[in-house]
Amino acid sequence: MKKRNLFLVILSILMVMSFAFCVGCINNNQVPTEKNFDSVQFNDITVVYSGQMQTIELVGLPEGTEVTYLTEQGHVDVGTYNFKVFLEKEGYISKILTATLVINKAELTVTAKDKVVMVGNTITPEYEITGFVGDDT
């Protein structure tokens, strides 16, 4: 019985304190709210293989935001990669954002040069290759 009465007294005190806090906020025109990260953009992108590290940029990030990458931050090879970041800042509601990076194959073009060959002669093909990236051969 004593434990129940103690519980009720503590509960009553907490309720009065909560009410007093809310009334104080309303009287001072202060509503306790947290901001969100709705202005931050973390969009899917598709690029062509370049031999360089590719990543997805966060745009509109409020200054002082702590960003934690939950997946690898960048990729070089052709493929589809899912990114996930966790945003955190005092006064803001924490948020996880996701985006997809697609790296497509680079186009390689082989163009044969016109050649006239007489019957019985050896053919030496001549061609031009374009589209190599970096040190590709």
Side-chain angles (χ1 to χ4, degrees):
M1 187 68 157
K2 288 181 182 180
K3 287 182 182 180
R4 182 172 180 261
N5 288 340
L6 179 61
F7 174 75
L8 292 174
V9 168
I10 292 173
L11 182 61
S12 298
I13 291 171
L14 289 175
M15 289 175 63
V16 168
M17 289 174 61
S18 296
F19 178 75
F21 174 76
C22 289
V23 168
C25 290
I26 292 169
N27 288 340
N28 293 325
N29 293 325
Q30 297 174 354
V31 178
T33 59
E34 291 183 299
K35 297 178 183 176
N36 57 46
F37 289 105
D38 287 346
S39 64
V40 178
Q41 296 177 20
F42 193 52
N43 299 322
D44 299 342
I45 62 169
T46 299
V47 296
V48 174
Y49 174 79
S50 67
Q52 303 295 316
M53 179 72 69
Q54 301 289 335
T55 190
I56 299 177
E57 186 178 336
L58 284 160
V59 178
L61 197 61
E63 188 175 331
T65 301
E66 186 176 326
V67 178
T68 304
Y69 282 83
L70 304 174
T71 54
E72 289 184 50
Q73 295 181 33
H75 297 277
V76 175
D77 297 327
V78 170
T80 300
Y81 305 95
N82 295 312
F83 286 71
K84 189 181 285 189
V85 295
F86 178 71
L87 307 178
E88 190 172 29
K89 182 178 178 175
E90 186 175 331
Y92 281 72
I93 299 169
S94 298
K95 188 170 189 174
I96 293 177
L97 297 175
T98 60
T100 301
L101 166 68
V102 177
I103 302 176
N104 288 325
K105 294 179 182 179
E107 185 174 305
L108 186 64
T109 304
V110 179
T111 306
K113 294 184 179 181
D114 290 339
K115 188 99 173 170
V116 176
V117 179
M118 302 299 276
V119 176
N121 290 345
T122 305
I123 299 173
T124 304
E126 293 182 27
Y127 52 89
E128 183 179 337
I129 302 175
T130 57
F132 284 121
V133 176
D135 294 334
D136 291 348
T137 55

